Amino acid sequence: MKIQDFDFDLPPELIAQFPAEKRGNSRMLHLDAASGALQDRRFADLPSYLRAGDVVVFNDTRVIKARLYGVRDTGGRVEVLVERVLDRQRVMAVIRASHSPKPGSKLFLADAIEVTVLSREHDFYTLQFEHEGTVIELLERYGNLPLPPYISRPVEKSDELRYQTIYATQPGAVAAPTAGLHFDEPMLELLRKMGVVMAHVTLHVGSGTFQPVRVENIADHRMHSEIFDVSAETVECIKHAKAEGGRVLAVGTTSLRALEAAAAATGKRAKPDDNGEDGAQIKCGAGETDIFITPGYQFRVVDCLLTNFHLPRSTLLMLVSAFGGVENIRQAYRHAIEERYRFFSFGDAMLIERAGRI
């Protein structure tokens, strides 16, 4: 398929610049992929689409204060966006500067941190923080929250709370898994009382989530890899649910990518059971994934997807098109624009029920 197959015109005023007043107050567009039917709902209606024994999978990554400003040893200004924390002292980062710094040169960030440029590979630099304390501690103290590039306003103190899910525990992401931003504790408690099973994965979202696809043929695009971890407990929850006829709802494209990457790690698809449904072949453990999900992909694990509305020409729009059907998603996005849904990270939600799985 071509990149123009995933393009659409979005009025700029529909890009949400702030979150809803309260978590859970967003709208939710429901898509039944089997029929293509759309329903305008509220996020508060999510429990009506779930039943006891279903598994809801959350990405528990935590956004770090990954953006730092400073100067080079030559005096020029520099902006550093940490892409990945490698260990206690080293990171992989993108650097914006008038001239690219060379290996061995120094950066002085936030008037407090000396950094050595160790190497460069493509767009990413390996940097070493020459300072007591871990990288995570230094970023928390001196860094700035990396709001997405389409948020055209300064970072506010409230963003440190609202651009973070309430269940975020594992620091390492440079962007929030935004479908999870809708959940508050009352919603989680309601789902627990219903008998819905809560499970977690970790996928540290990288800046590549905002990178445009620069090739005409999407098959030529290469994803940046991201670190993920799927626990044995989560795998067992999913296997049990599948065996008992339950479904798996991925909260966000990052949860879906982690689960499908873990399934792909088995190297095979499960045999269909007596009802024609796929078994749950999924492997626990940590690793890196550059899985690129496009139309035609055969999903192994996920039955339902809760997600936000995505950028034109983006890999995330390709993923939801694979999940819900290309024409279904086109119609859904046209509907969302006509009905003035709010788009992107702080915007409204979309619930997609995959054909043949509900």
Side-chain angles (χ1 to χ4, degrees), residues 51-291:
R51 55 182 181 251
D54 288 345
V55 179
V56 178
V57 182
F58 301 92
N59 182 4
D60 62 9
T61 188
R62 186 171 184 83
V63 182
I64 57 177
K65 295 181 179 179
R67 182 168 279 122
L68 293 158
Y69 299 95
V71 295
R72 300 170 56 190
D73 50 12
T74 56
R77 294 184 179 276
V78 65
E79 176 185 329
V80 171
L81 178 63
V82 173
E83 169 75 12
R84 181 183 300 182
V85 176
L86 301 175
D87 54 34
R88 290 174 60 88
Q89 284 189 289
R90 297 180 308 128
V91 303
M92 185 170 69
V94 176
I95 296 177
R96 294 181 61 183
S98 56
H99 298 285
S100 300
K102 296 180 179 180
S105 62
K106 300 286 187 179
L107 309 176
F108 302 95
L109 305 177
D111 294 326
I113 308 169
E114 180 179 323
V115 172
T116 301
V117 179
L118 297 180
S119 62
R120 180 182 183 181
E121 185 173 354
H122 304 300
D123 294 334
F124 297 104
Y125 293 81
T126 300
L127 309 178
Q128 179 162 304
F129 283 55
E130 310 290 355
H131 200 285
E132 292 185 4
T134 68
V135 166
I136 292 293
E137 292 169 345
L138 294 171
L139 291 176
E140 183 62 29
R141 186 181 308 169
Y142 299 111
N144 299 275
L145 194 72
L147 285 182
Y150 45 73
I151 303 294
S152 58
R153 61 171 175 80
V155 176
E156 298 184 359
K157 186 65 177 177
S158 62
D159 292 320
E160 294 184 16
L161 177 66
R162 294 302 303 277
Y163 193 62
Q164 201 81 264
T165 64
I166 65 170
Y167 47 81
T169 57
Q170 305 299 319
V174 302
T178 53
L181 299 179
H182 301 285
F183 287 86
D184 57 14
E185 189 53 46
M187 172 62 81
L188 296 181
E189 184 59 26
L190 174 58
L191 294 178
R192 292 187 194 102
K193 289 180 178 179
M194 288 174 55
V196 173
V197 179
M198 308 292 180
H200 294 86
V201 296
T202 303
L203 186 141
H204 293 315
V205 191
S207 60
T209 192
F210 302 118
Q211 296 299 314
V213 177
R214 297 186 175 93
V215 294
E216 182 178 356
N217 188 334
I218 65 171
D220 296 330
H221 179 70
R222 294 295 175 265
M223 297 281 285
H224 291 306
S225 65
E226 295 169 310
I227 297 172
F228 77 98
D229 190 6
V230 177
S231 69
E233 181 181 7
T234 292
V235 169
E236 287 306 311
C237 286
I238 290 171
K239 287 183 176 180
H240 179 75
K242 294 283 189 176
E244 297 297 321
R247 302 158 302 167
V248 175
L249 167 66
V251 177
T253 56
T254 59
S255 296
L256 182 149
R257 292 183 72 240
L259 293 173
E260 294 295 326
T266 66
K268 59 183 178 180
R269 285 183 56 78
K271 295 179 180 179
D273 63 19
D274 292 338
N275 297 317
E277 298 291 332
D278 287 342
Q281 288 285 345
I282 181 170
K283 182 179 179 180
C284 66
E288 293 192 28
T289 182
D290 60 358
I291 188 170

Side-chain angles (χ1 to χ4, degrees), residues 17-42:
Q17 296 297 310
F18 291 91
E21 183 178 355
K22 294 181 180 179
R23 294 185 193 267
N25 278 8
S26 296
R27 300 166 72 189
M28 184 178 76
L29 179 61
H30 172 249
L31 167 63
D32 177 357
S35 65
L38 298 169
Q39 285 185 307
D40 296 308
R41 305 297 296 268
R42 306 294 302 181

